[in-house]
Amino acid sequence: MDKKNTKKSHIIIVSNRLPIILKKAENGKIEVEKGAGGLITAMAPILKNRNGIWIGWPGYVHEAGIDDNRFPAIQSAVSGYSVKSVMLSSDELKNYYEGFSNSILWPLFHGFTDKCIFLPEYWISYQEVNKKFALTVYQNTDDPDFIWVHDYQLILVGAQLRKFSKRTPIGFFLHIPFPPIDTFIRCPWRFELLSAMLEYDIIGFHTILSKRNFIGCIKKIIQDAQIDAKKAFDETVSEIRFNGRVIRTGVFPISIDYNEFSLHSWDKKVYKRSKKIRNNSPDTKILLGVDRLDYTKGIPEKLKAFKWFLTHFPRFHKKVHFIQLVVPSRREITAYADLKLKIEQLVGEINGIFSTNDWLPVQYMFRNLDRNELISLYRACDIAFITPLKDGMNLVAKEYCACNIDEKGVLILSEFAGAAQQFYQDAILVNPYDIEGTARAIYRAFNMPLEERNQRMRNLRENIKNKDIFWWLNSFLNAAIEKDLSSFPRVDEYFPDKPTANLGM
Ligand code: ADQ
């Protein structure tokens, strides 16, 4: 990018991972492919249009002083915009990524404080690596550029850029929930983290609850910040005044490329594959869970609810087939390795108790699937069973509905997924800690009349179609530049005030 000859503003995306995937080819060589996912799809056109750059870690460790010949392959995997790699050593990976990011911020922000390991060396590494990211951003940007930093691994990047005297507008989007003050306050570096967030010009969250929690923490911890409490707590986008600057904060529920998923579901190969999945389980309803291996996703609780269902409703034996897909993730961290064992033990227990010669209640898969396989599963299943204990948004819920082109499926969704804020009227909401209530929700999904299923699924799909990933991207960027914030409607909000699963039995 020739920065010197143009003053047109560019867009710079900064995330922990670059939008690429490293794959081992059959000959043992590592190949670089373009990554998939909503964020990448949505960002690509805007990055191409505005001559943008994506800055991030390419996904492998690299020791200082060694020449890396993979950079050209990384660049050519992503066409139309530039990528810049930030290299991490194995020590940095251990302390910044597995340590501060995934053994402090991830559990803390999801409310699992017992899983936090507050080691000072993690904090030191987190600061150093965030500085390293900021330096790469600094070296590759010019003043009118808009820098957009993503997620909890990189909270300090904005503040570090200010230390380099960067005055460019900088935005931040948090993809995970922001915790309430009584949780956040346990972090030994609470003041540093919050002050760093106030160096951004705009900060986005998935839900109004996260935004409120953030404002609540600012009010208690950063004494000089001026907040119009009413607006801050209720409005989609509001302002905080601090140190002579105005910081905007808003609610932007992330989404998926609805059209892409929906069209893909009409594909002949997908149809054939989904038919095959259905034929493997004749006369049964398929219940589907798709989750990354993570204690926040509530997989053991979900299995316990399924066990309760089979125990108390024996007439559904041989009438239901539960497919639980788990995507490998962060297994180097002990809590994740333990979780895997727990899940496998529960699957074994349920199948041991209930299976017969011609019926296996739980089919468990622990691997990555390609797009076709995943969409075929979404298409084949009757009930999506998505019950995280806490989740920023949950894109699987949105993908499932987008793929449910015959509009006969049912979505069982946890109240504690960000997506519940959007879908509370049409999904069956459950409290995943309530094993019996969750089991009864399966019963309800089983018995829901076709007409009701059609209506609910149509509403869900309409909702996702109207607020897809491109809507999300535009809302965030508009909020960063819009003069009149009243153009952002107030946020629709769900809070459980009565028993959730309307059991109808
Ligand atoms: P995640 O915790 O990763 O994301 P989620 O939003 O559900 O959770 O996204 C998972 C993604 O992985 C989905 O796009 C899904 O298609 C894909 N996937 C799942 N199983 C797969 C498999 N076996 N093979 C291949 N792909 C699979 C974080 C936050 C969420 C937030 C997102 C986006 O934790 O709350 O919704 O970021 O902001």
Side-chain angles (χ1 to χ4, degrees), residues 287 298-313 316-317 320 322 324 346-347 349-350 354 362 385-387 389 412 430-443 446:
L287 198 62
I299 306 168
E301 291 74 7
K302 171 156 55 171
L303 286 163
K304 285 179 195 158
F306 186 61
K307 183 178 171 198
W308 198 101
F309 175 76
L310 294 179
T311 308
H312 292 83
F313 298 112
F316 289 106
H317 290 189
V320 61
F322 177 21
Q324 176 63 52
L346 275 163
V347 170
E349 192 180 314
I350 297 171
F354 299 103
V362 187
F385 195 23
I386 302 170
T387 57
L389 303 178
I412 298 180
V430 295
N431 169 358
Y433 293 98
D434 174 3
I435 301 298
E436 181 179 338
T438 306
R440 290 186 185 280
I442 305 175
Y443 179 93
F446 249 90

Side-chain angles (χ1 to χ4, degrees), residues 113-388:
T113 41
D114 58 324
K115 291 199 162 42
C116 293
I117 306 167
F118 293 115
L119 291 183
E121 56 264 41
Y122 290 171
W123 170 239
I124 292 169
S125 179
Y126 186 76
Q127 293 172 89
E128 284 168 0
V129 172
N130 271 246
K131 190 171 174 184
K132 206 181 212 189
F133 271 80
L135 191 62
T136 310
V137 176
Y138 179 70
Q139 288 164 343
N140 288 283
T141 51
D142 214 336
D143 258 354
D145 295 348
F146 180 74
I147 299 166
W148 189 359
V149 180
H150 287 263
D151 227 358
Y152 64 102
Q153 303 91 346
L154 301 176
I155 290 176
L156 308 181
V157 167
Q160 191 56 56
L161 281 167
R162 300 296 184 213
K163 283 189 191 151
F164 295 148
S165 302
K166 224 8 170 191
R167 293 287 137 238
T168 305
I170 316 178
F172 178 75
F173 189 83
L174 185 69
H175 289 259
I176 64 175
F178 196 91
I181 177 82
D182 53 347
T183 303
F184 185 73
I185 206 148
R186 296 183 195 187
C187 179
W189 306 282
R190 59 204 180 191
F191 181 76
E192 289 85 342
L193 288 167
L194 265 195
S195 331
M197 285 181 85
L198 289 182
E199 295 292 342
Y200 290 102
D201 297 286
I202 176 153
I203 305 163
F205 301 98
H206 287 308
T207 63
I208 187 85
L209 183 62
S210 283
K211 183 184 162 210
R212 276 197 200 135
N213 286 342
F214 172 68
I215 300 275
C217 289
I218 295 284
K219 280 185 82 166
K220 288 274 183 231
I221 298 175
I222 312 281
Q223 258 106 41
D224 297 336
Q226 289 168 16
I227 301 166
D228 175 344
K230 196 161 164 19
K231 285 191 172 172
F233 282 118
D234 293 336
E235 298 202 345
T236 304
V237 184
S238 53
E239 294 180 337
I240 300 169
R241 278 158 216 281
F242 180 61
N243 274 350
R245 293 176 48 250
V246 176
I247 299 109
R248 287 185 173 178
T249 165
V251 181
F252 312 96
I254 202 168
S255 193
I256 56 164
D257 184 350
Y258 173 89
N259 284 333
E260 208 265 326
F261 274 94
S262 182
L263 283 176
H264 201 146
S265 300
W266 289 100
D267 185 276
K268 266 197 191 138
K269 277 193 203 137
V270 166
Y271 174 74
K272 271 194 187 159
R273 200 189 281 259
S274 70
K275 197 132 194 182
K276 206 168 157 206
I277 300 170
R278 288 231 58 94
N279 291 344
N280 287 342
S281 315
D283 305 321
T284 59
K285 286 210 176 194
I286 299 178
L287 198 62
L288 175 69
V290 176
D291 304 276
R292 208 165 38 70
L293 179 70
D294 201 291
Y295 47 81
T296 61
K297 301 290 181 185
I299 306 168
E301 291 74 7
K302 171 156 55 171
L303 286 163
K304 285 179 195 158
F306 186 61
K307 183 178 171 198
W308 198 101
F309 175 76
L310 294 179
T311 308
H312 292 83
F313 298 112
R315 67 181 178 283
F316 289 106
H317 290 189
K318 301 193 182 186
K319 297 264 175 287
V320 61
H321 180 56
F322 177 21
I323 303 179
Q324 176 63 52
L325 177 63
V326 178
V327 194
S329 163
R330 303 178 196 166
R331 279 155 70 203
E332 45 306 314
I333 299 172
T334 319
Y336 288 73
D338 292 350
L339 174 68
K340 181 169 182 278
L341 290 178
K342 195 166 169 187
I343 293 169
E344 286 167 2
Q345 191 188 355
L346 275 163
V347 170
E349 192 180 314
I350 297 171
N351 283 338
I353 298 172
F354 299 103
S355 65
T356 61
N357 286 338
D358 54 357
W359 177 56
L360 187 72
V362 187
Q363 180 187 343
Y364 164 69
M365 293 186 271
F366 181 70
R367 58 172 182 269
N368 271 300
L369 294 191
D370 70 28
R371 228 348 134 85
N372 266 334
E373 288 176 297
L374 185 64
I375 294 183
S376 309
L377 265 180
Y378 285 147
R379 250 204 96 166
C381 103
D382 300 283
I383 303 164
F385 195 23
I386 302 170
T387 57

